[in-house]
Amino acid sequence: MISAEEFREYNRGAAEIGNGAASAVEQRVLGWCRSHEGASVAEKREAAKLIMEGFVQAYDDKAAEFAAQWYDYRAEQGGARLNQAVTMTVYEPGSVDDVARYQAKKLAKEGDAAFARACGEFARNDAFRSLNETIIANVGRDRDKGAMFARVPTGTETCTFCLMLASRGAVYHTRKTAGEWRHFHRGCDCKVVPSFESDPDAELVQGVKPRELYARYKQFKEIDETEGLSSAEKDELKRKILDDGKASERSVIRMLKSGEIEDASDVHVPTSSEVPNWLSGTSRNRHAKRHAAEYGIDYRSKDGQEEYNRIMSEVIDAADSVVLFDGIGGQNGQVCAVYFRGVDIAVVNIDENTRVTLFKYEKGRSNRYGALWDKVRERSDR
């Protein structure tokens, strides 16, 4: 069985690669557009293609190598004597061209930031697909030696189809299963995991049980088949189901005034649906404008505010660690929950039940958040 901690570490490493790909592409595409204000849509599109081609290939290779190393480790732990894992990337120049052309439509309506962000998301998704494709390819190579694979949901972007596949547990590589396992929707955070156990219904990842996933799949299917619900209402009902599962997996600790930490897993920390409103005041708008720019978002527009809020919700619900702390500046000693997802940090004032801020971690920028960051990483490395 893969321990919960090992799987979290694998997901954390994958997230760092995906976030790195998205950030690199987004920043450079946005930088080019802003430094060439008079450029046409076609010129911006072609520049984005060149930027994506280089970074997508590099991060696809990085993701595939990361997955191959993990496959080798899992095979060794499972007692399987196999050849060294191969890497498999999904990068295709044609896909980059298609994405650049399609997303360029955003330039006229939504501006440079939305276009750059969409290009970055493509880079992230491509890296994740290369990660999973490497596992699929190696399981296919080693199927005669007992290798199987399973699909494991990891966050808040899980759809009904994802749960249906995940509920099957570990299966052998066939043309049919490989085709199904290669189906990943936009933003999909499922991971393909290798198995070297004989029981396909075994608990492959600690805490992830196929029978429980099947029960969740039936809940999703029932929601899909309910008449009279809008797509947004269906998504909200599904999110609540996923929130319940995610909340039980994340690490929750409390930072004491002494600087020491203690376990706080028995404390409920709010999900995004439980804390929809923001802290009011001019300081909030000033901070939001500055930090939204870190995500390539113009906070002055309504669309920018909605996008910043959406990302905040994603970080809250997909965080792998939360720190409870009453020393956040400007919060009058009230208890705040600080959510960590990759390099993203979201802060919620629990006492006031309000959203405070969202930003990207940068070493040396804040002693307060730097100390929290170090405690979270120190704990996850144990």
Side-chain angles (χ1 to χ4, degrees), residues 355-382:
R355 301 184 177 203
V356 177
T357 188
L358 163 72
F359 60 95
K360 290 182 180 291
Y361 172 76
E362 182 179 327
K363 189 174 181 180
R365 182 165 71 177
S366 166
N367 292 334
R368 181 182 297 108
Y369 288 110
L372 295 179
W373 175 275
D374 290 341
K375 289 295 183 183
V376 167
R377 296 307 164 213
E378 176 185 315
R379 187 178 178 87
S380 66
D381 290 340
R382 290 179 182 175

Side-chain angles (χ1 to χ4, degrees), residues 115-144:
F115 174 60
R117 189 162 56 253
C119 292
E121 281 303 308
F122 169 75
R124 186 202 311 274
N125 291 336
D126 219 61
F128 286 163
R129 287 177 58 216
S130 292
L131 185 92
N132 287 325
E133 186 62 35
T134 293
I135 302 295
I136 292 172
N138 284 286
V139 169
R141 183 197 67 180
D142 299 328
R143 61 182 176 181
D144 292 339

Side-chain angles (χ1 to χ4, degrees), residues 252-257 264 267-270 275 279 312 316 321-340 345-357 359 368-369 372:
V252 182
I253 59 176
R254 180 181 287 104
M255 183 83 157
L256 304 177
K257 293 185 183 300
V267 177
H268 173 73
V269 292
V275 56
L279 179 74
M312 176 86 166
I316 291 173
S321 299
V322 182
V323 181
L324 304 178
F325 187 50
D326 62 5
I328 299 298
Q331 301 308 303
N332 302 316
Q334 294 175 316
V335 176
C336 291
V338 184
Y339 299 77
F340 293 84
I345 298 177
V347 182
V348 167
N349 185 317
I350 295 181
D351 289 342
E352 295 290 339
N353 197 40
T354 55
R355 301 184 177 203
V356 177
T357 188
F359 60 95
R368 181 182 297 108
Y369 288 110
L372 295 179

